[in-house]
Amino acid sequence: MSIGEEILVFSGSANYELSKSIAKCLGINLGNMQLRRFADGEVFVQIDETVRNKDTYVIQSTGRPSSNENWMELYCIIDALKRASAKRITAVIPYYGYSRQDRKNEPRVPITAKLVANLLTTAGANRVLALELHASQIQGFFDIPVDHMLSKNVFLDKIYKDIDLSNAIIVSPDIGGVGRSRFIAKALNLDIAIIDKRRDRANECEIMNIVGDVKGKDAIIIDDIIDTGGTLIKGINALKQAGMNKIYVFVTHAVCSGDAYERINSSPVDKLYITDSLQVMKDRLGSKIEVLSVDQVIADAIKCIHMEQSISVLFNN
């Protein structure tokens, strides 16, 4: 029996191109499903093939153009599968929207990353497969298994191919990203530097201090999310002022709000590598931005889950 006879993969509308690529890597077609809006904007879902006793996967990024719309689509698809007697429902979330609202850092604010996790479980998800969560503690927001994929190998493949490592150093864009950057630095046997950001007063520009010897070296910056690009560009400018040579940036989730693409292309960065975890605005990439696909990484993880194998081997080798 082939894998296509045992599992069904469905796609929300957030990043259909990535879903098709993942299905192609699996050697199957996407499941048949109607997904549309009523006149008042409500989501309508109907599964057009039997899913009874099937191992099912729903691929849906939950970011732009509307995080709320994408989350609601995902809940409705999962509910439809649950009511159609699917054996197991795995929510495959290349980008986990609301992940930056993962703690109560001010009075009277929600922990929305926890709220959407609760709603996923209520909708009927049995398992979650997520790529590069903004904060690892989000896994603890769930009472169901969470498989956390990393973009490490996708980045490493490109670094080995494109970058001369003889004079390179890994740079963490902030204190919070040190763990992620150290993971790559260890794999490449490189030193690490840190951009220390702070504000002396509220509403004042951030002060950037570079921790580490970066003068005359090539920087490889590792980050999980780029939104407006403002903080990243400030960091790049600070590295240049510190005597940095070439600067390469690897970012998993290209939220890229507003004119982020244009700002990056006019900055001193030599190359920005992003993944297709979110739908890529290809007409705005410019000359400095290159897209790396995570389709094979996600497809391999789906295979491991279906075969009841550990996905950690995908990232440890």
Side-chain angles (χ1 to χ4, degrees), residues 20 32 74 97:
K20 285 197 299 183
N32 296 316
L74 180 57

Side-chain angles (χ1 to χ4, degrees), residues 45-277:
V45 173
Q46 185 171 17
I47 310 299
D48 284 340
E49 57 185 295
T50 181
V51 298
R52 184 177 296 273
N53 207 35
K54 294 281 189 178
D55 190 13
T56 60
Y57 298 81
V58 185
I59 303 171
Q60 176 79 323
S61 285
T62 52
R64 59 169 169 75
S66 173
S67 183
N68 298 335
E69 288 275 320
N70 294 335
W71 274 114
M72 196 63 199
E73 267 190 21
L74 180 57
Y75 299 143
C76 290
I77 296 169
I78 290 171
D79 186 69
L81 292 171
K82 178 180 69 174
R83 296 177 188 280
S85 301
K87 180 181 179 180
R88 180 172 63 181
I89 305 168
T90 299
V92 180
I93 309 176
Y95 173 71
Y96 189 98
Y98 287 110
S99 62
R100 287 172 282 181
Q101 298 186 41
D102 62 319
R103 62 194 182 280
K104 190 174 180 182
N105 57 351
E106 295 181 46
R108 299 175 295 281
V109 297
I111 305 178
T112 318
K114 167 64 172 169
L115 173 61
V116 293
N118 290 344
L119 293 173
L120 268 178
T121 305
T122 301
N126 304 114
R127 193 178 197 99
V128 172
L129 180 62
L131 174 67
E132 207 71 62
L133 291 168
H134 181 63
S136 59
Q137 67 261 27
I138 291 174
Q139 297 174 77
F141 293 171
F142 289 88
D143 293 322
I144 57 176
V146 177
D147 290 302
H148 187 202
M149 295 177 293
L150 305 175
S151 49
K152 168 191 168 185
N153 286 358
V154 175
F155 289 168
L156 286 175
D157 285 346
K158 195 64 179 176
I159 290 171
Y160 281 127
K161 290 177 183 177
D162 282 14
I163 300 175
D164 179 5
L165 299 178
S166 62
N167 193 40
I169 187 171
I170 302 298
V171 178
S172 175
D174 50 41
I175 298 296
V178 170
R180 185 180 299 107
S181 298
R182 197 177 297 282
F183 206 44
I184 299 290
K186 183 178 179 181
L188 296 172
N189 195 27
L190 295 176
D191 292 332
I192 186 170
I194 303 168
I195 301 175
D196 178 33
K197 301 178 296 188
R198 64 179 182 272
R199 288 186 176 92
D200 283 347
R201 293 176 185 158
N203 299 320
E204 287 191 0
C205 291
E206 291 173 325
I207 298 172
M208 303 282 185
N209 294 314
I210 310 301
V211 181
D213 181 16
V214 301
K215 188 174 182 179
K217 295 184 179 179
D218 297 332
I220 302 174
I221 301 176
I222 308 295
D223 209 350
D224 64 326
I225 298 174
I226 178 172
D227 195 343
T228 64
T231 302
L232 175 63
I233 292 171
K234 288 178 183 177
I236 291 169
N237 289 333
L239 289 172
K240 281 293 186 182
Q241 290 173 8
M244 203 103 232
N245 189 15
K246 294 182 178 179
I247 299 177
Y248 307 95
V249 182
F250 289 79
V251 179
T252 304
H253 307 299
V255 177
C256 291
S257 303
D259 61 350
Y261 284 105
E262 291 74 18
R263 296 177 72 184
I264 287 293
N265 276 296
S266 61
S267 77
V269 72
D270 289 270
K271 199 78 173 182
L272 168 65
Y273 299 91
I274 62 175
T275 80
D276 55 357
S277 65

